[in-house]
mmCIF file of all heavy atoms in Angstrom:
data_model
loop_
_atom_site.group_PDB
_atom_site.id
_atom_site.type_symbol
_atom_site.label_atom_id
_atom_site.label_comp_id
_atom_site.label_asym_id
_atom_site.label_seq_id
_atom_site.Cartn_x
_atom_site.Cartn_y
_atom_site.Cartn_z
ATOM 1 N N HIS B 546 34.738 -59.072 0.336
ATOM 2 C CA HIS B 546 34.961 -60.118 -0.647
ATOM 3 C C HIS B 546 34.071 -61.332 -0.225
ATOM 4 O O HIS B 546 34.211 -61.789 0.888
ATOM 5 C CB HIS B 546 36.414 -60.497 -0.697
ATOM 6 C CG HIS B 546 36.640 -61.536 -1.840
ATOM 7 N ND1 HIS B 546 36.598 -61.220 -3.178
ATOM 8 C CD2 HIS B 546 36.842 -62.891 -1.715
ATOM 9 C CE1 HIS B 546 36.759 -62.378 -3.849
ATOM 10 N NE2 HIS B 546 37.027 -63.342 -2.945
ATOM 11 N N TRP B 547 33.160 -61.683 -1.075
ATOM 12 C CA TRP B 547 32.199 -62.777 -0.705
ATOM 13 C C TRP B 547 32.539 -64.113 -1.271
ATOM 14 O O TRP B 547 32.925 -64.138 -2.476
ATOM 15 C CB TRP B 547 30.805 -62.376 -1.152
ATOM 16 C CG TRP B 547 30.261 -61.044 -0.569
ATOM 17 C CD1 TRP B 547 30.242 -59.853 -1.167
ATOM 18 C CD2 TRP B 547 29.754 -60.913 0.729
ATOM 19 N NE1 TRP B 547 29.716 -58.891 -0.362
ATOM 20 C CE2 TRP B 547 29.381 -59.511 0.841
ATOM 21 C CE3 TRP B 547 29.491 -61.774 1.770
ATOM 22 C CZ2 TRP B 547 28.806 -59.027 1.975
ATOM 23 C CZ3 TRP B 547 28.894 -61.244 2.928
ATOM 24 C CH2 TRP B 547 28.581 -59.839 3.018
ATOM 25 N N ASP B 548 32.525 -65.194 -0.527
ATOM 26 C CA ASP B 548 32.818 -66.495 -1.041
ATOM 27 C C ASP B 548 31.469 -67.074 -1.563
ATOM 28 O O ASP B 548 30.765 -67.732 -0.858
ATOM 29 C CB ASP B 548 33.423 -67.383 0.063
ATOM 30 C CG ASP B 548 33.620 -68.802 -0.411
ATOM 31 O OD1 ASP B 548 33.428 -69.061 -1.660
ATOM 32 O OD2 ASP B 548 33.997 -69.616 0.398
ATOM 33 N N LEU B 549 31.273 -66.813 -2.860
ATOM 34 C CA LEU B 549 29.907 -67.180 -3.379
ATOM 35 C C LEU B 549 29.712 -68.689 -3.509
ATOM 36 O O LEU B 549 28.591 -69.131 -3.669
ATOM 37 C CB LEU B 549 29.765 -66.544 -4.802
ATOM 38 C CG LEU B 549 29.860 -64.994 -4.790
ATOM 39 C CD1 LEU B 549 29.824 -64.499 -6.224
ATOM 40 C CD2 LEU B 549 28.719 -64.390 -3.995
ATOM 41 N N ARG B 550 30.781 -69.448 -3.423
ATOM 42 C CA ARG B 550 30.622 -70.888 -3.595
ATOM 43 C C ARG B 550 30.547 -71.648 -2.220
ATOM 44 O O ARG B 550 30.679 -72.834 -2.232
ATOM 45 C CB ARG B 550 31.842 -71.501 -4.315
ATOM 46 C CG ARG B 550 32.011 -70.669 -5.598
ATOM 47 C CD ARG B 550 32.899 -71.388 -6.587
ATOM 48 N NE ARG B 550 32.893 -70.603 -7.865
ATOM 49 C CZ ARG B 550 33.523 -70.968 -8.912
ATOM 50 N NH1 ARG B 550 34.168 -72.061 -8.973
ATOM 51 N NH2 ARG B 550 33.439 -70.181 -9.969
ATOM 52 N N ARG B 551 30.353 -70.844 -1.167
ATOM 53 C CA ARG B 551 30.272 -71.520 0.089
ATOM 54 C C ARG B 551 29.185 -72.622 0.075
ATOM 55 O O ARG B 551 28.066 -72.341 -0.457
ATOM 56 C CB ARG B 551 29.915 -70.490 1.200
ATOM 57 C CG ARG B 551 30.981 -70.289 2.212
ATOM 58 C CD ARG B 551 30.725 -69.090 3.101
ATOM 59 N NE ARG B 551 29.456 -69.199 3.789
ATOM 60 C CZ ARG B 551 28.821 -68.186 4.311
ATOM 61 N NH1 ARG B 551 29.401 -66.978 4.346
ATOM 62 N NH2 ARG B 551 27.645 -68.329 4.922
ATOM 63 N N PRO B 552 29.479 -73.830 0.564
ATOM 64 C CA PRO B 552 28.487 -74.900 0.383
ATOM 65 C C PRO B 552 27.138 -74.662 1.127
ATOM 66 O O PRO B 552 26.103 -75.163 0.701
ATOM 67 C CB PRO B 552 29.176 -76.063 0.997
ATOM 68 C CG PRO B 552 30.355 -75.594 1.751
ATOM 69 C CD PRO B 552 30.693 -74.262 1.223
ATOM 70 N N ASP B 553 27.209 -73.817 2.133
ATOM 71 C CA ASP B 553 25.915 -73.563 2.829
ATOM 72 C C ASP B 553 25.140 -72.388 2.240
ATOM 73 O O ASP B 553 24.105 -72.006 2.798
ATOM 74 C CB ASP B 553 26.173 -73.267 4.386
ATOM 75 C CG ASP B 553 26.968 -71.996 4.519
ATOM 76 O OD1 ASP B 553 27.620 -71.539 3.559
ATOM 77 O OD2 ASP B 553 26.905 -71.430 5.684
ATOM 78 N N SER B 554 25.562 -71.900 1.110
ATOM 79 C CA SER B 554 24.860 -70.762 0.537
ATOM 80 C C SER B 554 23.379 -71.117 0.273
ATOM 81 O O SER B 554 23.130 -72.270 -0.160
ATOM 82 C CB SER B 554 25.514 -70.343 -0.776
ATOM 83 O OG SER B 554 24.737 -69.497 -1.518
ATOM 84 N N LEU B 555 22.498 -70.084 0.380
ATOM 85 C CA LEU B 555 21.103 -70.371 0.105
ATOM 86 C C LEU B 555 20.777 -70.191 -1.400
ATOM 87 O O LEU B 555 19.665 -70.147 -1.750
ATOM 88 C CB LEU B 555 20.180 -69.443 0.959
ATOM 89 C CG LEU B 555 20.079 -69.756 2.404
ATOM 90 C CD1 LEU B 555 19.362 -68.675 3.148
ATOM 91 C CD2 LEU B 555 19.285 -71.157 2.558
ATOM 92 N N ARG B 556 21.843 -70.034 -2.179
ATOM 93 C CA ARG B 556 21.649 -69.703 -3.586
ATOM 94 C C ARG B 556 20.623 -70.614 -4.302
ATOM 95 O O ARG B 556 19.747 -70.122 -4.989
ATOM 96 C CB ARG B 556 23.034 -69.834 -4.289
ATOM 97 C CG ARG B 556 23.043 -69.473 -5.720
ATOM 98 C CD ARG B 556 24.390 -69.776 -6.391
ATOM 99 N NE ARG B 556 24.381 -69.500 -7.808
ATOM 100 C CZ ARG B 556 23.704 -70.257 -8.666
ATOM 101 N NH1 ARG B 556 23.041 -71.333 -8.291
ATOM 102 N NH2 ARG B 556 23.677 -69.913 -9.961
ATOM 103 N N ASP B 557 20.751 -71.912 -4.094
ATOM 104 C CA ASP B 557 19.830 -72.847 -4.770
ATOM 105 C C ASP B 557 18.427 -72.755 -4.266
ATOM 106 O O ASP B 557 17.468 -72.852 -5.034
ATOM 107 C CB ASP B 557 20.315 -74.296 -4.627
ATOM 108 C CG ASP B 557 21.636 -74.504 -5.417
ATOM 109 O OD1 ASP B 557 22.008 -73.642 -6.213
ATOM 110 O OD2 ASP B 557 22.314 -75.582 -5.172
ATOM 111 N N PHE B 558 18.292 -72.517 -2.987
ATOM 112 C CA PHE B 558 16.966 -72.294 -2.419
ATOM 113 C C PHE B 558 16.332 -71.064 -2.958
ATOM 114 O O PHE B 558 15.141 -71.037 -3.365
ATOM 115 C CB PHE B 558 17.055 -72.212 -0.885
ATOM 116 C CG PHE B 558 15.719 -72.172 -0.146
ATOM 117 C CD1 PHE B 558 14.920 -73.301 -0.059
ATOM 118 C CD2 PHE B 558 15.236 -70.949 0.364
ATOM 119 C CE1 PHE B 558 13.694 -73.210 0.579
ATOM 120 C CE2 PHE B 558 14.036 -70.898 1.024
ATOM 121 C CZ PHE B 558 13.236 -72.001 1.111
ATOM 122 N N VAL B 559 17.047 -69.946 -3.063
ATOM 123 C CA VAL B 559 16.629 -68.724 -3.635
ATOM 124 C C VAL B 559 16.129 -68.971 -5.076
ATOM 125 O O VAL B 559 15.128 -68.567 -5.508
ATOM 126 C CB VAL B 559 17.675 -67.630 -3.541
ATOM 127 C CG1 VAL B 559 17.268 -66.400 -4.334
ATOM 128 C CG2 VAL B 559 17.959 -67.250 -2.123
#
Side-chain angles (χ1 to χ4, degrees):
Chain B
H546 183 73
W547 300 100
D548 178 5
L549 300 174
R550 308 196 174 183
R551 246 171 54 196
D553 64 340
S554 168
L555 285 173
R556 184 189 176 284
D557 292 347
F558 185 75
V559 171

